[in-house]
Amino acid sequence: MVSVALILLFVLSCIVLRLISVIRRTRTRFSDARPTPPKTCSLAVFLGSGGHTSEALVLLSALDFSRYSPRKYIYSQGDILSAKKAVNLESLKAPECTSHPVHSTDATTPYTLVSIPRARRVHQSLFTTPVTAARSLITCLYHVTIAPLLSGHPFADVLVVNGPGTCCMLCLAVYVNRFFGFHSPKMIYVESFARVKTLSLSGKLLRPFVDRSPSCRFVVQWPELLNDGGRGECRGWLI
Amino acid sequence: MYAFVTVGSTRFDGLVQRALSDAVLDVLRAKGYSKIVVQCGNSEFDTKSYEWTGETWVRRGEEHIEVWRFKPSLQEEYEQADLVISHAGSGTIIDVLRLRKPLIVIPNSTLLDNHQEELASTLAQLRHLKASTISELPKAIESLEPSGFVPFPVFDGSRFREMLDEEMGFA
């Protein structure tokens, strides 16, 4: 338990110390780094269960899967329904994928499912939350930071999240990659359609980072959410 | 006609119990809904007037009124229903409105962070659905005018696709 807390403390203090310099990098530096358009782009999406999963999969259904390949569906441990919905979307989109030539070397495995522990269960006591959150973060660090280093395959080129809480752990792991200068995905945070006048807790937590960082976008679906003058963008309903 | 009541994957005892009350069943029967199905999720209700058939609870003497907890997909129920009464979860709202079905939503006011109310009242103002409360539900069903709803816009995937293509250098 103590060692877990120490690891977490170390990671957190690293992030706090370096975050300012990381988030102040300009957008252009990153776009300059990729002068030619890519043939394919690997995508990871977090399925936060219930309405979050439905919305995330509706967003994905709009994409050209031969372009965004391979795909990684991250779901909360035990949330079999989200995993099934992802498989269902894949089977619906399969005919479309095969009609285009697939350039990716991973064409044989166009998608994978990854489960991570929840940062906090519904109705869980606040006292035990740090423990579950730390366990969740360590799993995220494994998938986002450590496994890519060991295998040489980056986690993803872009990460799409729309809440709830556990997605913050994924984003934190992405920031660890940025801090150490490892390959890190671009991040797109899409606030839920359900949020009309107030941001969700994940939205409030991630907005200051996602919004000012290079290669990150903070997107809402109701313009009122931007009335506070904070940054972010709204292109109307995305779902 | 078929009325489908759903709470999705949540627990919402208030809505389930109200939907199975005489006040609501009477008004549904009077409006011509002969088939009434309640998907109760993790909610608790008084099963005394119901018989467990191994898959669903069926109301004694009225086999067209039944209750069950979950099915992998509710899409088929939405498609068959002539009226959907639901908690105000965004997933359910979108699924039902995309099918252009009359929808009455009851925000779950027992939720800690009650954003359901926000979405329900906004969409009610836009006349895409009717928002009500547990106590007002019979009245909401009674006064329902399906022709008064404004059709929900069809899904436009181009917005998110263009945004991501732009970000990833495909545009």
Side-chain angles (χ1 to χ4, degrees):
Chain A
M1 196 62 70
V2 177
S3 60
V4 169
L6 283 174
I7 293 169
L8 185 63
L9 197 66
F10 171 70
V11 171
L12 284 174
S13 51
C14 285
I15 289 166
V16 170
L17 285 170
R18 281 289 304 277
L19 206 50
I20 295 163
S21 67
V22 173
I23 64 176
R24 279 184 183 167
R25 283 185 206 166
T26 63
R27 215 180 178 86
T28 48
R29 270 183 65 176
F30 272 73
S31 45
D32 288 349
R34 185 180 273 163
T36 51
K39 281 179 179 167
T40 61
C41 153
S42 60
L43 178 144
V45 60
F46 178 63
L47 307 177
S49 86
H52 293 281
T53 294
S54 308
E55 282 197 36
L57 292 176
V58 169
L59 293 177
L60 252 68
S61 73
L63 301 178
D64 178 349
F65 271 22
S66 61
R67 202 170 255 191
Y68 293 94
S69 174
R71 294 163 298 281
K72 202 171 274 180
Y73 296 92
I74 303 157
Y75 63 98
S76 304
Q77 227 162 48
D79 181 18
I80 304 303
L81 199 59
S82 287
K84 280 185 181 162
K85 284 179 177 173
V87 173
N88 189 39
L89 174 69
E90 283 290 337
S91 60
L92 286 173
K93 295 279 276 186
E96 184 185 316
C97 294
T98 48
S99 64
H100 298 283
V102 178
H103 303 285
S104 168
T105 50
D106 295 283
T108 47
T109 52
Y111 73 97
T112 46
L113 297 164
V114 176
S115 81
I116 56 172
R118 282 171 210 264
R120 179 173 182 264
R121 293 186 307 274
V122 182
H123 305 308
Q124 186 186 330
S125 147
L126 282 175
F127 292 106
T128 57
T129 298
V131 180
T132 48
R135 196 170 57 189
S136 177
L137 176 61
I138 287 167
T139 312
C140 292
L141 284 170
Y142 172 76
H143 289 293
V144 176
T145 313
I146 298 165
L149 282 176
L150 296 177
S151 68
H153 296 293
F155 167 70
D157 294 321
V158 61
L159 170 65
V160 178
V161 293
N162 67 354
T166 309
C167 83
C168 296
M169 298 296 137
L170 273 174
C171 296
L172 205 52
V174 169
Y175 271 92
V176 169
N177 282 17
R178 292 198 181 173
F179 167 71
F180 287 112
F182 303 150
H183 182 281
S184 70
K186 297 190 177 207
M187 273 196 288
I188 315 280
Y189 180 86
V190 181
E191 185 61 286
S192 165
F193 175 73
R195 294 298 177 158
V196 181
K197 295 182 180 107
T198 54
L199 292 172
S200 66
L201 184 58
S202 314
K204 284 175 192 158
L205 286 172
L206 291 173
R207 190 185 195 187
F209 302 103
V210 172
D211 186 37
R212 293 195 190 98
S213 301
S215 311
C216 287
R217 289 173 90 147
F218 187 84
V219 188
V220 299
Q221 304 193 53
W222 295 90
E224 263 188 84
L225 292 170
L226 302 176
N227 282 356
D228 60 2
R231 282 192 268 174
E233 57 187 300
C234 179
R235 295 196 186 182
W237 298 355
L238 301 177
I239 46 86
Chain B
M1 291 204 297
Y2 172 22
F4 180 58
V5 182
T6 174
V7 302
S9 55
T10 65
R11 175 176 181 168
F12 194 177
D13 294 354
L15 175 56
V16 169
Q17 286 163 13
R18 185 64 165 163
L20 296 172
S21 68
D22 288 336
V24 168
L25 293 179
D26 284 346
V27 68
L28 282 173
R29 288 189 199 102
K31 292 279 273 186
Y33 295 96
S34 50
K35 182 181 176 186
I36 302 164
V37 174
V38 177
Q39 181 266 319
C40 71
N42 291 312
S43 315
E44 296 302 325
F45 67 100
D46 183 3
T47 56
K48 124 172 143 264
S49 328
Y50 293 82
E51 196 157 340
W52 176 247
T53 65
E55 276 181 20
T56 64
W57 286 275
V58 176
R59 194 174 165 92
R60 287 199 183 88
E62 281 181 284
E63 61 187 41
H64 295 301
I65 300 180
E66 61 177 87
V67 187
W68 39 263
R69 291 206 182 274
F70 297 105
K71 267 188 195 173
S73 168
L74 300 177
Q75 197 65 21
E76 206 176 299
E77 308 299 327
Y78 300 151
E79 281 167 13
Q80 289 170 5
D82 299 289
L83 165 67
V84 179
I85 299 169
S86 159
H87 73 133
S90 65
T92 309
I93 289 178
I94 293 159
D95 288 347
V96 175
L97 292 186
R98 283 269 143 79
L99 294 169
R100 306 270 165 99
K101 297 285 177 157
L103 173 64
I104 298 175
V105 299
I106 317 290
N108 188 349
S109 54
T110 63
L111 290 178
L112 198 61
D113 180 13
N114 189 18
H115 60 277
Q116 287 201 346
E117 176 69 49
E118 233 173 72
L119 182 65
S121 61
T122 306
L123 292 176
Q125 272 168 26
L126 296 169
R127 292 199 291 131
H128 292 312
L129 52 74
K130 190 161 191 167
S132 185
T133 60
I134 289 172
S135 58
E136 296 291 308
L137 182 57
K139 218 181 280 177
I141 299 168
E142 179 71 57
S143 62
L144 185 75
E145 276 295 337
S147 57
F149 288 120
V150 172
F152 196 64
V154 292
F155 171 53
D156 178 5
S158 68
R159 290 174 179 168
F160 183 69
R161 186 171 56 238
E162 280 165 16
M163 184 186 295
L164 201 60
D165 283 352
E166 196 179 281
E167 186 65 38
M168 301 314 292
F170 289 116

